[in-house]
Amino acid sequence: MDKHLQIFITVAEKQSFSKAAEEHYMTQPAVSQYIRTLEESAGIRLLERSNKYVRLNKAGEIVYHYGKEILGLYTTMQHLVDDLMNRANGPLAIGASYTFGEYVLPRIIADLLEIHPDIEPAVTIGNTAEIADLVAMHQLDVGIIEGEFNRKDMMIEELAEDEMVIVASTENKLFHQKAKIELSDLANETWVVREHGSGTRAATENFFQKADIQPVRLMQFSSTQSIKESVASGLGITLLSKWAIQKEIKYGDLKIVPMEGFPFTRAFSIITKSPFQTKTLEIFIERLRSSKLLRIF
């Protein structure tokens, strides 16, 4: 691996030559020499320096962006070569959208580690768009995302169906005013929704379009947990995966709104970038495919 590139990325992330030196067990002058050599090779300065800061300039941003991808590819290559002689072990960078990452993935990883204790999973949770971008840049080995997804630079495998329902506080007037709840009643409610880029937000907007309703008010939160707390507190209603609301339904904090056509389903999908997979990644994906947890509903 190119040491100059590795040290440059550390300096950029730490915004400090001294902290980079500590990270690589080197002297600060040695780090400075590595950076000078890289800049001479590139034919341009990559960092703006002063007594108060170290930061990337435009050229540095380009080198940092592609440098991260290069190092990710190098790591994958090394693991693939190691796999020819060794059993499944070492790091596995997993990305997951919020619903899968928070409510399904932990139990699958626990099952995986019972059989393969030498695997070292590192999990990143974000919305579907964020996870896809990290997989594309080789910062993640695999992503599990939700909803409709179509990118030609990715390999996509549908994994399981996710059932989604409308939920509200048990005290919501929807449950007490009418024997049958109509779509027009939902339009008059405040809808608590996820941010754009989220699979759950995409599913919610898809529902609005198909039902031909325009809610009077939207309230946006960036996590499923904050949405559940808000809805349980009476701030509005929402559309969520059954996976995300098991405990709240069990303990009476939330109640499913009975509507014709629900639950409706969306897909959980596996996304990868490289056609080559380490033994560790192969084992993890096979564990996903065979998991009984995904057939709970």
Side-chain angles (χ1 to χ4, degrees):
M1 186 189 309
D2 188 86
K3 188 75 171 177
H4 298 82
L5 191 57
Q6 189 177 35
I7 290 172
F8 168 74
I9 287 171
T10 304
V11 171
E13 291 179 343
K14 300 287 186 181
Q15 296 183 320
S16 167
F17 280 74
S18 60
K19 290 180 181 178
E22 292 175 7
E23 180 82 10
H24 291 281
Y25 302 100
M26 301 169 64
T27 64
Q28 188 169 330
V31 169
S32 298
Q33 182 58 50
Y34 270 102
I35 298 300
R36 276 196 300 271
T37 302
L38 181 63
E39 289 179 326
E40 288 170 2
S41 176
I44 192 171
R45 288 180 68 88
L46 304 175
L47 296 168
E48 299 299 329
R49 310 158 171 86
S50 77
N51 292 330
K52 296 182 179 180
Y53 64 80
V54 176
R55 64 190 180 200
L56 295 170
N57 58 24
K58 186 63 177 179
E61 290 175 359
I62 293 171
V63 174
Y64 175 79
H65 174 84
Y66 287 101
K68 289 281 284 186
E69 186 169 348
I70 289 167
L71 295 186
L73 284 168
Y74 181 89
T75 301
T76 299
M77 178 193 72
Q78 191 63 56
H79 289 162
L80 285 165
V81 173
D82 291 344
D83 279 351
L84 296 176
M85 299 180 62
N86 301 318
R87 60 179 179 166
N89 61 68
L92 176 64
I94 306 166
S97 54
Y98 283 94
T99 299
F100 197 93
E102 293 181 334
Y103 302 104
V104 185
L105 185 59
R107 282 176 278 181
I108 291 176
I109 289 177
D111 290 344
L112 174 72
L113 293 181
E114 281 189 10
I115 303 172
H116 302 283
D118 293 330
I119 293 177
E120 302 166 10
V123 177
T124 298
I125 296 177
N127 66 38
T128 292
E130 291 167 343
I131 296 303
D133 287 342
L134 290 171
V135 172
M137 292 177 61
H138 301 279
Q139 300 305 297
L140 295 172
D141 298 313
V142 60
I144 305 100
I145 49 90
E146 57 204 38
E148 296 182 7
F149 184 80
N150 184 23
R151 277 181 58 164
K152 294 182 179 180
D153 61 334
M154 298 277 185
M155 282 162 283
I156 307 166
E157 175 188 339
E158 193 166 307
L159 176 63
E161 286 190 340
D162 177 29
E163 294 187 356
M164 303 194 74
V165 292
I166 299 171
V167 292
S169 162
T170 53
E171 303 301 318
N172 191 289
K173 63 181 182 298
L174 287 171
F175 300 118
H176 308 291
Q177 290 183 347
K178 287 184 175 182
K180 183 179 180 181
I181 300 170
E182 307 288 345
L183 287 174
S184 58
D185 298 319
L186 301 182
N188 292 325
E189 291 287 317
T190 295
W191 279 79
V192 188
V193 299
R194 285 284 308 279
E195 78 284 359
H196 288 288
S198 158
T200 298
R201 176 63 176 267
T204 303
E205 292 184 344
N206 185 36
F207 164 67
F208 291 158
Q209 184 177 14
K210 288 183 177 180
D212 193 26
I213 63 173
Q214 294 181 328
V216 294
R217 186 183 181 195
L218 296 180
M219 188 180 300
Q220 180 174 299
F221 288 87
S222 61
S223 77
T224 300
Q225 188 60 41
S226 60
I227 286 176
K228 292 192 295 182
E229 293 291 340
S230 299
V231 172
S233 299
L235 290 181
I237 65 176
T238 193
L239 177 71
L240 289 176
S241 164
K242 275 190 174 182
W243 276 109
I245 58 171
Q246 292 182 71
K247 290 182 179 178
E248 288 77 12
I249 296 296
K250 179 179 178 180
Y251 294 110
D253 298 318
L254 295 174
K255 185 176 179 179
I256 295 174
V257 179
M259 294 294 300
E260 185 177 345
F262 281 85
F264 75 80
T265 60
R266 62 177 177 175
F268 284 139
S269 298
I270 301 169
I271 57 173
T272 52
K273 176 68 174 178
S274 172
F276 302 105
Q277 296 180 355
T278 64
K279 186 179 298 183
T280 299
L281 179 54
E282 286 179 355
I283 287 171
F284 173 69
I285 290 177
E286 186 54 41
R287 174 63 56 173
L288 287 173
R289 292 172 181 149
S290 62
S291 177
K292 294 179 180 179
L293 288 171
L294 296 176
R295 296 186 290 274
I296 193 168
F297 294 114

